[in-house]
Structures are given as structure tokens and as C-alpha cells.
Amino acid sequence: MRGAAEISAKIAEEEGAEMIVVGLPLNMDGTRGFRVENTLAFCEILKTLTPLPIETCDERCTTVSAYNFMLATNTKKTKKRSIVDTISAEIILQTFIDKRKNK
């Protein structure tokens, strides 16, 4: 987990990020499970590696949304597996940005 946090902090610095947004894998009913606890532990490690603010964003249904997007855009089945995480991350970030704008 530390290795992933180190890589994330390094990329954020290289890209000139102002903040790091991490998807929070809540259960469908909104409760926290072991995956949320692991994610929050990752965020705590990340906080020790970068001065950037770390924010979390609910990531429920992002994979489904990503597959729906790929279906709507006629993405080839073989390509779907390789890009679903990227599209999901984009959806998480856009959701975070939209929520901030609406506050």
C-alpha cells in the first residue's frame, strides 16, 4: 500500500496537482466495509508523503457508469477491460468537481 501511495504522491507532484481525490468504495447501502478502511489507511499514508490536500469521493456505481458509457460509445469489448478503471476514475473526479461547484 505504501508503494502505491508513494507512486501517487510522485505523480501528483510531477503533474502539478493541487489536490488528490481518492475514490471511496462504500457499500451500496452507504455503509463502510473493509475496502473503505483500506482506502482510508491509504489516504493516511498519502498524507505523510505529500502536502497536498487529500479528499475522498463516493465511487459507488462508477464501474457501472463506465460500462454504460462504453456501451453508448460502441467501445469494443476487448478494449473495455483495459480502460474501465480509467473511465471510472474520470467519473469519480467529475462527480467530485460537480459536487464542489454546487456547494
Side-chain angles (χ1 to χ4, degrees), residues 18-66:
E18 296 177 14
M19 171 186 292
I20 298 174
V21 178
V22 178
L24 194 61
L26 296 167
N27 294 324
M28 287 307 290
D29 64 1
T31 60
R32 293 178 171 201
F34 75 94
R35 292 175 53 223
V36 168
E37 299 311 318
N38 288 344
T39 301
L40 295 176
F42 171 81
C43 291
E44 289 303 314
I45 294 168
L46 196 53
K47 287 177 185 177
T48 69
L49 300 171
T50 180
L52 295 173
I54 312 296
E55 297 283 341
T56 59
C57 182
D58 182 355
E59 69 171 36
R60 286 178 286 177
C61 300
T62 55
T63 301
V64 172
S65 296

Side-chain angles (χ1 to χ4, degrees), residues 1-100:
M1 188 179 311
R2 183 166 181 86
E6 289 171 346
I7 291 168
S8 298
K10 182 179 180 197
I11 291 171
E13 181 182 334
E14 289 172 351
E15 296 295 326
E18 296 177 14
M19 171 186 292
I20 298 174
V21 178
V22 178
L24 194 61
L26 296 167
N27 294 324
M28 287 307 290
D29 64 1
T31 60
R32 293 178 171 201
F34 75 94
R35 292 175 53 223
V36 168
E37 299 311 318
N38 288 344
T39 301
L40 295 176
F42 171 81
C43 291
E44 289 303 314
I45 294 168
L46 196 53
K47 287 177 185 177
T48 69
L49 300 171
T50 180
L52 295 173
I54 312 296
E55 297 283 341
T56 59
C57 182
D58 182 355
E59 69 171 36
R60 286 178 286 177
C61 300
T62 55
T63 301
V64 172
S65 296
Y67 276 110
N68 287 338
F69 172 79
M70 290 185 289
L71 182 63
T73 58
N74 294 319
T75 304
K76 293 181 182 177
K77 187 174 183 176
T78 54
K79 192 173 182 182
K80 285 180 183 176
R81 287 190 187 116
S82 66
I83 64 171
V84 69
D85 289 339
T86 300
I87 293 173
S88 295
E90 291 173 358
I91 292 168
I92 292 167
L93 185 55
Q94 189 62 57
T95 300
F96 179 82
I97 291 168
D98 291 346
K99 283 184 179 181
R100 274 186 101 187

